[in-house]
Amino acid sequence: MPRWQPGARERLQATTLELFAEQGFEQTTVAEIASRAGLTERTFFRYFADKREVLFAGQDEFAGLFLDHIATASPDAEPFAVIMRAVRAAVTEFFPVKRRSFSRRRQTIIDANPGLQERELLKLAGLTEAMAAALQRRGTPEPTALLSAECGVTVFRVAFSRWVEGSEDRELVAILDDVLGEVRALTAVT
Amino acid sequence: MPRWQPGARERLQATTLELFAEQGFEQTTVAEIASRAGLTERTFFRYFADKREVLFAGQDEFAGLFLDHIATASPDAEPFAVIMRAVRAAVTEFFPVKRRSFSRRRQTIIDANPGLQERELLKLAGLTEAMAAALQRRGTPEPTALLSAECGVTVFRVAFSRWVEGSEDRELVAILDDVLGEVRALTAVT
């Protein structure tokens, strides 16, 4: 068997989601995933540290996109504008409509497992901190940097949860702008 | 030894924080906590399910305050106004200035341990969902209810993190109103 299997990563991801959906996260073993994908366990571990990482492997890449966009933003842009532009650019690249079906299946699995939810929340908290640090490197004072990052991540989370719901057919970036408009309207009237 | 020790709960809490701060969360056992507090392990377990619960025992009470205030809000109040009034009322009751030293020490311990951070994030996510559900029971449509709750919890989290920082001496509720004002200003310019 060759060391590198063309399409093996995607096949392992699809098979993993399939098995998690069929029999639950806890009950699924790496041996089963590899066997159903027609690959060896060794091949699995070439791509993922463990079965949980199949669900979270993309997040570092996504965080990297975000941070690149913050780092390269115009030096005189307002902090929250920088964050929102980075969010729009990152979701446009990372969450095209064709990815929605994967994201939906993934979300169903995470929502069913408190341990996976905790992992997801911790990853998002880490992203928030990294975004705030990136703003501080541009000269934004810490309190404003943190608040801008928290608000940006809140808008992203709410928009993302609408996007993975059954009733939404629009691009994530369009939903994002809706949510931002709603935040403005909501907070204006208190 | 009597079944009920006056002040035992507070003594166990103080001793637990002390030991966590001295030697870390993982390294501390219930036996050590009970021994230093001059109580038995059985007494400890009468108040807390495990050592982790000492850090999180107050959160259900805090969530209850929040939800009571949402349930009893004026029927024609705007959803986000309902949330923010509930946040203000709950923090005024639950986080008086005299509680800040405890909250600070607790936060230092949580920040040092990813497992505790995950637990804290999951509790806050649960609170957000419960707040959104309380708004829906008042007739707020689900998307607005969720977004109002997410924004309210974001404002709370940021204000709380400033409150437990060394440099802040004001009441939490004053910081809360600052943060809300900043959110309005930030989101207005994008």
Side-chain angles (χ1 to χ4, degrees), chain A residues 5-16 47-48 102:
Chain A
Q5 307 277 341
R9 194 173 191 281
E10 291 66 31
R11 212 151 89 223
L12 286 167
Q13 275 190 317
T15 308
T16 305
Y47 295 97
F48 304 104
F102 176 88

Side-chain angles (χ1 to χ4, degrees), chain A residues 80 150 154 184 187 190, chain B residues 80 150 154 157 184 187 190:
Chain A
F80 188 65
E150 288 277 358
T154 299
R184 266 189 215 124
T187 57
T190 314
Chain B
F80 188 66
E150 288 277 357
T154 299
R157 283 176 48 183
R184 267 190 213 122
T187 57
T190 314

Side-chain angles (χ1 to χ4, degrees), chain A residues 9 13 47-49 52-68 90 94-95 99 106 119-120 122-124 126-127 130:
Chain A
R9 194 173 191 281
Q13 275 190 317
Y47 295 97
F48 304 104
R52 195 177 67 167
E53 273 315 296
V54 180
L55 297 170
F56 295 100
Q59 291 202 336
D60 293 336
E61 197 191 326
F62 181 57
L65 281 176
F66 252 115
L67 299 178
D68 283 352
F94 201 76
F95 294 109
R99 203 186 165 88
R106 175 183 176 278
R119 174 80 181 167
E120 174 113 307
L122 196 65
K123 283 256 184 186
L124 274 171
L127 177 60

